[in-house]
Amino acid sequence: MSIGIPLSSWGGLISLEIIGGLIIATLIEQGVNRFLKYFLRTTYFFPYVISATAVALVWHLLLNPDLGVVNYYLGKLGVSQINRLFSAQWARISIILVETWKNIGFCIVVFLAGLQNIPRQLYEAAEVDGASKVQRFFHITLPLLSPTTFFLVVVGLINAFQIFDVPYVLTRGGPGGATRTIVMYIYETGFRFFNMGYAATVSLSLFVFIAVLTLVQFKISGRWVFYR
Amino acid sequence: MGPRVPRITLFGVDGFPLLTTSQNPGEARKLIKYMVRKDVQAKLIGTKEAPVGNIPTRRSLATGDEMSIFPPRSYKIFYESLVKFPAKPVPAPVAFTRVEEIWLRYVSAILANEMSAEEGCMKAHKEIADVLGGSNSPVPGQGLAKGDICVLRLGKNTLVKRENLAGCLFVLPTFLGFLFFVLSPMVAALVLSFYSWDLFTPPKFTGLSNYRALMHDEHLLDVYRNTLVLVGGLDKS
């Protein structure tokens, strides 16, 4: 299957959420107009408030090969018109993008709060010393945002590994089980094959997995998280 | 071993130290012995007609019968409080800074003769009792007139305990939700993992067989890999 861009370069939904959220939050913070800032913040946060099932249903329509606008505009750009949810690669990319679209507002709002906590004097001092905008971003914004980023990574990973509703509505785990997630497997084991005991065991394995992952993150956080 | 003597911190009283680096320790010791002699101390205090004003180093001079020279009116409180309430370092209670502020304000008012000592103590006591949340206000003019000092006791109903209670009450709803919707399902899942249950017949205890199945489940690896691809973008193909 060739789609031009290998999936690995797309990154998972966690990196898209964090990096995309950081970029958008920084741009919003730069904005001169206060009301534009409020407007954008609200707009980006809105999908986060909507039920995941509703979001997935809407995107299911948008991705529909006959009715959806996504294929229509991709077709105008010369991309072949296929059912994106019938190809393993495209189905994954669709799920990642829909999940990111839904959750990025949360990252933006938390990053905006973190940005407002950075003292102006640091930027002024750096400006006097002749630091460029890019240097100020990498040497002031990024290190001082590290506690915010750490929070978002921890919470984001805990939530991301329990991803269920969007892929369930979009693909039901297909095609060929390529998008069947852990929680979907637990749900099917328990409520379609009625093997409650085994479903409980799998969910415990997920619990242990997430707990260890979170513990490791806290252990290595000392190397890159700076508290003022 | 002698009788148990309470550790007492004195302040505002003269002392005569003998330095270990002293050139003439013998002479110094003689001088100290001379300085603390009763008659010498009495001279330092002075007489009723011509008071010098030092506080006597020897307590007997202040409390003894012959020392009705010109006892400072509150000297008994001073000496008795040393024994009754021996000072020792303790961690500052939560309300300490507020109590200290109130106390110092009234002490300076008393020292500046803006109010009488009794009035100041009563007002300070009332204000401090309000801060600590207690209701044990003394009967006016009773305890204090006899020379007792105000004693602050942290009763049952202190500020600290009330704040703790308020905190617990605020956390309670969330904690109940966590208990019923997170913790108990987790424990139930842990118990259920040792059973085989199809929802229609009663659960059968099967020991570790579910965990054994977990080890040999290739679907499990697939779903973990799928989730990792979605979350981290780790593509294997």
Side-chain angles (χ1 to χ4, degrees):
Chain A
M1 166 134 344
S2 86
I3 52 163
I5 313 154
L7 183 65
S8 47
S9 66
W10 277 86
L13 58 94
I14 192 76
S15 50
L16 282 181
E17 274 173 34
I18 303 281
I19 297 171
L22 177 61
I23 292 170
I24 295 173
T26 315
L27 291 177
I28 292 177
E29 182 71 12
Q30 299 291 317
V32 274
N33 192 331
R34 215 169 80 220
F35 292 100
L36 187 68
K37 202 167 118 183
Y38 293 158
F39 176 74
L40 287 174
R41 195 173 62 187
T42 312
T43 313
Y44 276 110
F45 193 69
F46 206 72
Y48 188 75
V49 186
I50 311 169
S51 131
T53 314
V55 167
L57 281 171
V58 169
W59 275 96
H60 192 72
L61 268 179
L62 292 176
L63 290 165
N64 185 298
D66 300 320
L67 308 165
V69 288
V70 174
N71 263 343
Y72 175 76
Y73 284 109
L74 280 179
K76 293 237 162 184
L77 292 172
V79 182
S80 60
Q81 296 197 28
I82 51 161
N83 189 333
R84 313 256 160 230
L85 299 176
F86 284 175
S87 124
Q89 295 280 56
W90 275 110
R92 285 175 182 149
I93 293 172
S94 306
I95 291 167
I96 289 174
L97 289 181
V98 172
E99 274 285 334
T100 307
W101 179 80
K102 179 170 155 43
N103 292 332
I104 202 167
F106 178 70
C107 296
I108 291 172
V109 167
V110 176
F111 269 131
L112 278 174
L115 284 171
Q116 279 160 15
N117 270 332
I118 301 177
R120 291 273 149 265
Q121 305 93 290
L122 295 176
Y123 289 109
E124 284 160 14
E127 210 176 337
V128 169
D129 287 345
S132 70
K133 266 199 164 173
V134 179
Q135 281 174 320
R136 270 179 270 161
F137 177 78
F138 280 103
H139 291 103
I140 297 174
T141 310
L142 221 49
L144 288 179
L145 271 184
S146 60
T148 313
T149 316
F150 178 61
F151 164 77
L152 283 174
V153 170
V154 169
V155 174
L157 275 179
I158 289 174
N159 285 327
F161 275 104
Q162 301 177 51
I163 176 173
F164 171 72
D165 14 28
V166 169
Y168 189 75
V169 172
L170 282 184
T171 65
R172 302 267 153 161
T179 56
R180 182 174 288 117
T181 65
I182 304 167
V183 179
M184 208 185 294
Y185 185 57
I186 294 168
Y187 169 75
E188 286 174 351
T189 309
F191 294 99
R192 278 179 67 185
F193 303 110
F194 296 110
N195 196 345
M196 282 298 169
Y198 190 59
T201 317
V202 177
S203 63
L204 276 180
S205 84
L206 178 61
F207 169 72
V208 172
F209 180 79
I210 292 178
V212 170
L213 188 77
T214 308
L215 209 69
V216 169
Q217 286 188 78
F218 270 93
K219 286 279 177 210
I220 60 173
S221 71
R223 296 188 196 159
W224 66 276
V225 180
F226 304 100
Y227 295 97
R228 260 186 304 141
Chain B
M1 297 279 279
R4 205 158 158 257
V5 180
R7 279 167 163 251
I8 294 171
T9 306
L10 300 168
F11 54 91
V13 179
D14 286 338
F16 305 101
L18 173 52
L19 301 179
T20 51
T21 51
S22 173
Q23 300 282 328
N24 307 302
E27 315 293 318
R29 193 177 295 273
K30 269 186 205 164
L31 175 67
I32 291 172
K33 276 185 178 168
Y34 170 78
M35 290 295 284
V36 297
R37 256 165 54 186
K38 223 172 192 173
D39 55 323
V40 179
Q41 283 278 306
K43 273 181 197 159
L44 285 174
I45 298 162
T47 58
K48 209 174 223 166
E49 292 74 34
V52 180
N54 285 315
I55 299 174
T57 306
R58 297 175 74 112
R59 186 188 297 193
S60 61
L61 283 179
T63 55
D65 282 340
E66 73 255 51
M67 286 317 297
S68 49
I69 313 168
F70 68 103
R73 275 220 320 236
S74 53
Y75 76 98
K76 265 187 186 160
I77 300 173
F78 179 71
Y79 284 115
E80 278 170 13
S81 67
L82 291 178
V83 182
K84 263 193 191 169
F85 313 102
K88 58 184 173 185
V90 288
V94 174
F96 176 78
T97 45
R98 280 199 267 174
V99 171
E100 188 198 28
E101 182 267 321
I102 294 166
W103 181 242
L104 288 180
R105 181 152 40 81
Y106 280 105
V107 165
S108 35
I110 293 166
L111 291 179
N113 274 331
E114 282 168 14
M115 57 178 78
S116 74
E118 189 179 340
E119 187 195 358
C121 277
M122 289 303 302
K123 281 184 174 171
H125 183 97
K126 204 157 171 283
E127 218 172 295
I128 289 168
D130 281 346
V131 166
L132 297 176
S135 55
N136 51 336
S137 54
V139 185
Q142 203 182 357
L144 292 168
K146 286 177 185 165
D148 276 354
I149 61 165
C150 301
V151 184
L152 304 169
R153 286 200 194 287
L154 292 170
K156 272 184 188 172
N157 202 15
T158 59
L159 196 70
V160 187
K161 285 197 175 171
R162 278 198 297 172
E163 278 181 356
N164 282 346
L165 181 70
C168 286
L169 283 175
F170 274 116
V171 171
L172 189 66
T174 309
F175 180 73
L176 282 180
F178 172 77
L179 202 68
F180 286 116
F181 297 111
V182 178
L183 197 63
S184 42
M186 273 172 75
V187 175
L190 184 69
V191 174
L192 214 55
S193 70
F194 295 103
Y195 286 83
S196 171
W197 187 31
D198 63 0
L199 279 177
F200 303 110
T201 52
K204 283 191 295 286
F205 185 79
T206 53
L208 289 174
S209 75
N210 276 330
Y211 290 91
R212 243 173 268 130
L214 202 67
M215 294 289 120
H216 306 291
D217 186 356
E218 70 260 30
H219 289 302
L220 190 76
L221 279 182
D222 280 341
V223 295
Y224 265 91
R225 205 182 290 126
N226 286 337
T227 312
L228 275 172
V229 169
L230 292 178
V231 173
L234 309 166
D235 195 12
K236 85 279 187 186
S237 54

